[in-house]
Amino acid sequence: MAQLSPILKQATPVVVDHGEGAYLYDTDGRRHLDFTAGIGVTSTGHCHPRVVRAAQEQIGKLIHGQYTTVMHRPLLELSERLGEVLPNGLDSLFFANSGSEAVEAALRLTRQATGRPNVVVFQGGFHGRTVAAASMTTSGTRFSAGFSPLMGGVHVAPFPNAFHYGWDERTTTEFALRELDYLFATQTSPQETAAFFIEPMLGEGGYVPANTEFFAGLRRRADEHGILLVIDEIQTGFGRTGKFWGHQHFDVRPDVLLIAKGLASGFPLSGIAASKELMSKAWPGSQGGTYGGNAVSCAAAIATLDVIAEENLVENAAARGKQLLDGARAIGEKTPGIGDVRGLGLLVGSEFVTSDGKPDAATAQAAQQAAAQKGLLLLTCGPFMNVVRMIPPLVVTAEQVDEALEIWADVVASVTTGS
């Protein structure tokens, strides 16, 4: 009898029967507060009625219309609707299925548009598991080990991770920008560098936000040297951070934007956005795919945009995110085993450390597992897997945040004191 690969390890013991809003219900009828949201995917919660209805209606009309063969209304409407929320000047879209595909499409575009071979990524960044995307990922060797050689032309610069370096944010930012200039002098000439690829906030790398000064430094260098700034909003977009786009916290202008995850509330859909002028520099035949821009996924994405706007979910993410971060920080301040609590909007991470300040993956894992036993589903992340992250859906309520924080406080006390 066929089974799933033994390498696929579940983060929780839950076997789901159905989901509703911020809750999952297992096959025994037990309710679980889902603060994983499918790793930031179910932005409007599980099975939002508006999204379900849109998908059901579309399935009865057209399930798949391959978009370089025929065109369909959901794709045209979604493109138009995204034009209302995309940053100014990004008026051309290419759709795919996964975040990794969006990353690789952007890589191909930036290399073809500039005629340059190299890209710069930043320490701790996650961009996917396919070969090129994994070659650009530095959030953990587990994503790239064992199938070398990886793609060439990727150079890594520091991300301003103040807690990791043990410095204040200003010192860390100055160091990171200085090291980027050193990289230009020693590894990749600016004239051979096509693009910077960066997340507004490290995702798998430990939930570490960037800052305005760092992005301003990137933008200056990009403009000076003709380098394209690619901002990976796959996890931080669509209201997740309390603004529609994560980079809006840092007052920066992207040349290319990567989208996926929360775009379609659980249906597979991703894409890249750029100016028409830039997108036109892609070589003929370089963009395409069988399932990209699937009709049902596009219908779900349109409904997702409706729900985000009509239910004020960006504003809710900001308010509930502050509540969640403040609460998690209050717990962290009372817990010597938590070295840092940080986040943006509904992306909150608690980093566990030993008494001598080293990463403590064992306690983080124990906390995540104990929370699951108490009905709160969480995930770990970070290069050392010592960060427990909270990613509730954008529809989460104040009462649900309080419920999660109450469980989290009990769990943290239990795993750090043995009580």
Side-chain angles (χ1 to χ4, degrees):
M1 187 171 74
Q3 296 179 333
L4 287 172
S5 166
I7 303 304
L8 294 170
K9 303 295 185 183
Q10 274 189 266
T12 76
V14 177
V15 179
V16 175
D17 177 76
H18 66 281
E20 182 180 352
Y23 293 106
L24 288 173
Y25 296 81
D26 66 25
T27 51
D28 294 324
R30 186 183 179 197
R31 190 180 75 174
H32 304 264
L33 188 55
D34 182 15
F35 271 40
T36 74
I39 316 184
V41 168
T42 55
S43 50
T44 58
H46 292 288
C47 299
H48 191 289
R50 187 82 170 263
V51 177
V52 170
R53 185 166 60 250
Q56 288 174 331
E57 291 177 357
Q58 184 57 46
I59 285 173
K61 295 178 180 177
L62 177 71
I63 294 175
H64 175 61
Q66 201 284 322
Y67 73 146
T68 61
T69 305
V70 297
M71 190 51 63
H72 52 78
R73 287 186 179 276
L75 184 58
L76 293 172
E77 183 178 348
L78 176 60
S79 300
E80 184 177 328
R81 291 290 304 279
L82 284 172
E84 299 171 3
V85 294
L86 285 168
N88 288 337
L90 304 191
D91 55 1
S92 185
L93 289 151
F94 164 69
F95 290 99
N97 307 287
S98 68
S100 293
E101 286 180 275
V103 169
E104 298 215 8
L107 172 68
R108 187 177 300 197
L109 171 64
T110 56
R111 281 177 162 174
Q112 291 177 349
T114 62
R116 300 174 180 182
N118 297 337
V119 295
V120 173
V121 298
F122 295 85
Q123 196 70 56
F126 177 82
H127 299 293
R129 296 174 184 266
T130 52
V131 174
S135 302
M136 298 163 66
T137 289
T138 59
S139 58
T141 55
R142 61 191 178 277
F143 301 114
S144 57
F147 62 101
S148 294
L150 299 173
M151 180 188 73
V154 178
H155 299 273
V156 184
F159 188 90
N161 185 344
F163 182 76
H164 169 72
Y165 289 108
W167 304 327
D168 62 81
E169 186 172 80
R170 183 179 181 84
T171 301
T172 309
T173 300
E174 290 174 349
F175 164 79
L177 291 173
R178 189 167 62 248
E179 287 297 294
L180 177 58
D181 290 335
Y182 190 62
L183 187 77
F184 283 152
T186 59
Q187 295 187 47
T188 175
S189 163
Q191 285 69 43
E192 287 197 314
T193 303
F196 299 132
F197 279 72
I198 188 167
E199 299 168 281
M201 172 176 174
L202 298 182
E204 292 292 333
Y207 276 30
V208 183
N211 62 68
T212 301
E213 183 181 353
F214 183 69
F215 265 113
L218 293 187
R219 186 70 263 176
R220 282 197 303 272
R221 287 159 176 80
D223 291 342
E224 179 181 355
H225 299 297
I227 298 169
L228 297 169
L229 179 57
V230 181
I231 299 187
D232 184 337
E233 292 270 12
I234 289 167
Q235 188 162 173
T236 53
F238 298 93
R240 169 60 55 185
T241 66
K243 292 183 182 291
F244 202 94
W245 304 110
H247 72 268
Q248 291 173 327
H249 289 275
F250 309 121
D251 191 28
V252 63
R253 172 181 55 83
D255 296 303
V256 182
L257 198 70
L258 311 186
I259 58 177
K261 284 192 181 287
L263 166 60
S265 294
F267 287 85
L269 187 65
S270 69
I272 66 173
S275 68
K276 184 178 180 181
E277 178 185 7
L278 176 58
M279 199 77 88
S280 298
K281 295 180 180 179
W283 293 8
S286 65
Q287 295 177 346
T290 300
Y291 293 106
N294 172 265
V296 181
S297 293
C298 288
I302 294 165
T304 297
L305 290 172
D306 289 338
V307 172
I308 289 173
E310 294 171 16
E311 297 186 13
N312 300 311
L313 294 190
V314 178
E315 295 81 0
N316 189 64
R320 301 287 70 77
K322 182 180 187 305
Q323 178 190 359
L324 184 61
L325 182 59
D326 288 348
R329 279 180 170 160
I331 294 166
E333 287 168 0
K334 296 184 292 186
T335 308
I338 295 180
D340 194 30
V341 180
R342 54 192 176 249
L344 282 177
L346 293 174
L347 293 165
V348 174
S350 298
E351 181 158 354
F352 284 78
V353 295
T354 60
S355 58
D356 57 356
K358 294 180 180 178
D360 187 358
T363 304
Q365 177 75 6
Q368 184 264 337
Q369 289 293 304
Q373 293 298 324
K374 289 180 174 289
L376 174 63
L377 305 185
L378 305 170
L379 296 171
T380 56
C381 65
F384 302 99
M385 299 301 286
N386 65 316
V387 179
V388 177
R389 50 177 163 166
M390 298 179 172
I391 333 168
L394 274 59
V395 296
V396 70
T397 66
E399 293 75 20
Q400 289 165 342
V401 171
D402 284 340
E403 179 185 354
L405 288 170
E406 183 177 350
I407 295 172
W408 182 239
D410 289 345
V411 163
V412 167
S414 174
V415 300
T416 57
T417 65
S419 60

